Amino acid sequence: MQIETPQAVAIYCRLSKEDLDENKIDNLSRSIQNQKSMLTDFAEINGWQIFDIYCDDNLSGVARDRPEFNRLIRDASLRKFNIILFDTPRS
């Protein structure tokens, strides 16, 4: 049985609470850049097309109003992509 490759993936990036607590602008930007790079590489290695990258650069996951996360959910409900890639916070 052959598994079909997804036609499109979405990438979601955000800051962890720990990143926000550090209060260092350079580290925050680096965190998002690292997530984008890692997830983009992962998609490309697997031969997946990237539909879009959703990024809440100044908001952590504890924030209730994350514009890019809300856009991601809207696009998912419209079935614009098959898979969501995201980095999980480290404890």
Side-chain angles (χ1 to χ4, degrees), residues 3-88:
I3 299 174
E4 291 185 29
T5 302
Q7 294 178 358
V9 298
I11 292 176
Y12 180 68
C13 303
R14 68 164 177 81
L15 296 176
S16 69
K17 185 177 182 306
E18 292 77 21
D19 288 335
L20 284 176
D21 290 344
E22 288 181 8
N23 257 342
K24 296 179 183 174
I25 300 299
D26 288 338
N27 285 343
L28 298 179
S29 297
R30 224 175 289 130
S31 174
I32 293 294
Q33 290 172 358
N34 290 342
Q35 288 177 55
K36 284 181 183 179
S37 177
M38 179 187 67
L39 296 170
T40 299
D41 288 349
F42 184 78
E44 290 174 357
I45 287 168
N46 286 285
W48 299 338
Q49 174 189 354
I50 298 171
F51 171 74
D52 206 349
I53 298 175
Y54 303 79
C55 182
D56 285 312
D57 198 359
N58 295 317
L59 301 167
S60 81
V62 298
R64 289 182 181 243
D65 185 26
R66 292 178 279 161
E68 286 294 284
F69 181 76
N70 293 333
R71 186 170 73 88
L72 171 78
I73 296 302
R74 280 191 304 274
D75 287 350
S77 70
L78 296 172
R79 299 176 186 256
K80 292 186 175 184
F81 48 82
N82 304 84
I83 291 177
I84 300 171
L85 300 177
F86 61 95
D87 188 22
T88 58

